[in-house]
Amino acid sequence: MVAGNEKLVSSEKLEAATGRARAAWHELLDAEGATAWTHPQIATWLVEEHGVDGWWAQGITIAYEQARGMRVPGQQSDGSFSSGASRTMAGDARELLARVIAVASGWAGSEPASSSPEAKHPSARWSLEDATGITATLSPVTSGAPGRVRIALTRTKLAGPDVLAEEKAAMTQLLRAL
């Protein structure tokens, strides 16, 4: 099973970044009646009304939705599920993206539907015949030794939570093939 948001980011780290602990954000959202809001409404409200950085607003929103039973871990706001794996490697992001595309295309049986090798966070996306997909995102690591890149492979549009562990294992295996 996929870890819930609260397992991925500690309340202490959240408070250091946003000025409030997870429970305080949940109380604030409850007072506003946010269980009746959509995911984008919650995240936008956090950004616009409380000046929360967009990345942290997404995390607060997901944790709130999971805590209030609005979604389960691994579930996206559209009701589908996603599962993935990541690995940090040394190298140039664009060169690593080319390697990821070669390995993932072989696994998927097709070339990516789109790729953005020159973006700040190079990426590629595959649309598969079964209506699922794969997303590869590469992000330069800003801490520690220079020249490291975090590669995330995510299986998207999965039908339910029963396949999450299997898909995570598949993405982990693709990363090992790099």
Side-chain angles (χ1 to χ4, degrees):
M1 189 63 168
V2 175
N5 182 275
E6 73 283 349
K7 301 284 188 203
L8 300 174
V9 177
S10 71
S11 187
E12 293 78 20
K13 189 170 184 176
L14 178 67
E15 185 172 9
T18 67
R20 285 190 170 90
R22 184 173 287 109
W25 282 116
H26 291 186
E27 288 173 17
L28 187 63
L29 288 162
D30 284 341
E32 293 294 321
T35 56
W37 298 355
T38 64
H39 178 91
Q41 288 172 316
I42 297 169
T44 300
W45 183 81
L46 290 166
V47 170
E48 292 178 356
E49 297 297 321
H50 294 279
V52 176
D53 172 80
W55 188 87
W56 287 103
Q58 289 296 319
I60 293 166
T61 302
I62 291 167
Y64 180 74
E65 291 169 330
Q66 289 175 355
R68 298 303 180 259
M70 299 162 69
R71 75 160 84 179
V72 298
Q75 187 175 30
Q76 305 302 296
S77 60
D78 68 359
S80 70
F81 289 79
S82 67
S83 182
S86 66
R87 176 179 181 186
T88 299
M89 295 180 67
D92 174 75
R94 284 154 195 80
E95 291 173 11
L96 288 170
L97 178 62
R99 289 172 54 190
V100 169
I101 288 173
V103 169
S105 291
W107 184 85
S110 67
E111 292 298 313
S114 66
S115 67
S116 303
E118 300 303 321
K120 180 179 179 183
H121 298 278
S123 64
R125 295 184 188 336
W126 290 258
S127 296
L128 305 180
E129 289 182 12
D130 65 358
T132 65
I134 302 171
T135 301
T137 306
L138 287 76
S139 302
V141 176
T142 56
S143 62
R148 296 180 327 134
V149 178
R150 180 179 178 270
I151 304 166
L153 287 178
T154 307
R155 287 283 281 127
T156 60
K157 303 289 183 188
L158 300 170
D162 54 319
V163 298
L164 297 179
E166 174 185 332
E167 295 299 341
K168 179 179 183 68
M171 296 301 99
T172 299
Q173 193 63 31
L174 287 178
L175 288 169
R176 286 185 185 134
L178 294 175

